[in-house]
Amino acid sequence: MAEGRGAVVSVAGLALLVALSAVGAPLAGARPAHEIPVATATGNLSGPTAEGWSDVPSSTVPLTSAPSSVPNANDTTVERLHVQAARGDGRLYLRLRWRDATRDTAADGPRTFSDSVAVQFPVDTASRPPIAMGAPDNRANVWYWDGAAGGQELLAGGAGSTTAFPNASVSTAAVHRGSGANATWTVVYEREVGVTDTNRTTVPDDRNLDVAFAVWNGSNGERAGQKAVSEWHYFPFGGGPPGPPYEVLLWAVAGIAVVVVLSVTAYGVRHSGGPD
């Protein structure tokens, strides 16, 4: 009988180790969900292929079709965006990469659309605006790149209210490399951190900065409200509320696994004849 209890305990112990190792592995690189790390800018980050980007961590941001009433709103093709961010020397650098088999850089026909990507920030960094281009009383500052027209800086106060700044404070550079399904667009944005304007986002150094993304695949007919979009994410510039407690959730899973294993162990011991 004692031999039976020993077998039960052994199996339970093994299950516990498996559970903890399964949870422990992701903890090594865990960070709060929706956080996009920001590296200290070193080296050359001035272009999509600049060597300095090799030292900047990349985050994968899931995308989904934007809720919209426009025709074919659910027909989008880009499912993820790779985001890198770095800050230094008074500047913020962003590098966005996504797969796109076709290089669409013309919009010169009634059914011809170019590839595009946008980065959205709250103008008032203390208040997160509605994700669909903000609201009249809570506006969004949008950094926009278009394969046909290049970079623009936009102000939005709700869907359909987008206005271009006459003097963009953001510079962009882009490159399309590869072929077929492995072809990618890479777009880099660069802007001074200390820009002060009531309609522009001032990049803070004492609070987190919310950020969201959108991508259009021109050859798929994507334009305007037909686009792939992200949820709100944030750059951890400090001081703001943390993101969803990803690590806490993982530890909770581990805790549940421990309770289950201990329960199974107790049940096995009890039904194998109890303690000697």
Side-chain angles (χ1 to χ4, degrees):
M1 189 171 295
E3 182 177 338
R5 290 199 301 274
V8 170
V9 171
S10 297
V11 171
L14 179 60
L16 176 60
L17 290 174
V18 170
L20 289 176
S21 61
V23 172
L27 279 175
R31 63 171 182 266
H34 299 126
E35 178 184 294
I36 298 175
V38 181
T40 299
T42 58
N44 179 15
L45 301 174
S46 61
T49 60
E51 70 276 6
W53 289 111
S54 62
D55 298 324
V56 178
S58 177
S59 298
T60 300
V61 173
L63 304 176
T64 189
S65 299
S68 174
S69 59
V70 302
N72 303 316
N74 292 327
D75 181 15
T76 58
T77 58
V78 183
E79 297 179 346
R80 60 186 63 85
L81 182 69
H82 304 287
V83 180
Q84 293 171 276
R87 176 176 180 167
D89 297 329
R91 306 190 73 80
L92 177 65
Y93 302 86
L94 303 181
R95 186 184 191 229
L96 311 181
R97 291 180 293 120
W98 71 99
R99 289 191 176 184
D100 188 338
T102 57
R103 179 178 179 273
D104 307 311
T105 58
D108 53 2
R111 301 298 301 172
T112 303
F113 308 100
S114 57
D115 298 323
S116 307
V117 64
V119 185
Q120 175 180 266
F121 299 103
V123 170
D124 178 1
T125 58
S127 177
R128 178 180 287 182
I131 196 166
M133 307 299 283
D137 59 350
N138 196 354
R139 292 164 294 182
N141 187 191
V142 180
W143 300 359
Y144 179 75
W145 172 87
D146 179 280
Q152 290 182 294
E153 185 179 14
L154 309 172
L155 177 66
S161 66
T162 304
T163 302
F165 286 89
N167 54 335
S169 65
V170 182
S171 61
T172 61
V175 65
H176 186 266
R177 307 180 78 178
S179 60
N182 292 323
T184 60
W185 272 114
T186 304
V187 176
V188 166
Y189 298 85
E190 178 181 348
R191 205 205 77 173
E192 288 186 14
V193 170
V195 172
T196 57
D197 187 305
T198 55
N199 289 321
R200 286 187 166 107
T201 301
T202 298
V203 179
D205 56 13
D206 59 352
R207 68 171 73 239
N208 297 334
L209 176 61
D210 291 316
V211 60
F213 307 90
V215 179
W216 293 259
N217 181 2
S219 61
N220 191 48
E222 297 175 27
R223 74 283 190 194
Q226 184 184 351
K227 57 186 175 182
V229 298
S230 74
E231 299 179 85
W232 282 111
H233 289 65
Y234 70 94
F235 294 134
F237 292 130
Y246 182 61
E247 291 182 341
V248 172
L249 291 175
L250 290 175
W251 280 113
V253 172
I256 293 172
V258 170
V259 170
V260 170
V261 170
L262 291 178
S263 299
V264 171
T265 303
Y267 179 85
V269 170
R270 187 164 55 251
H271 286 267
S272 61
D276 290 332

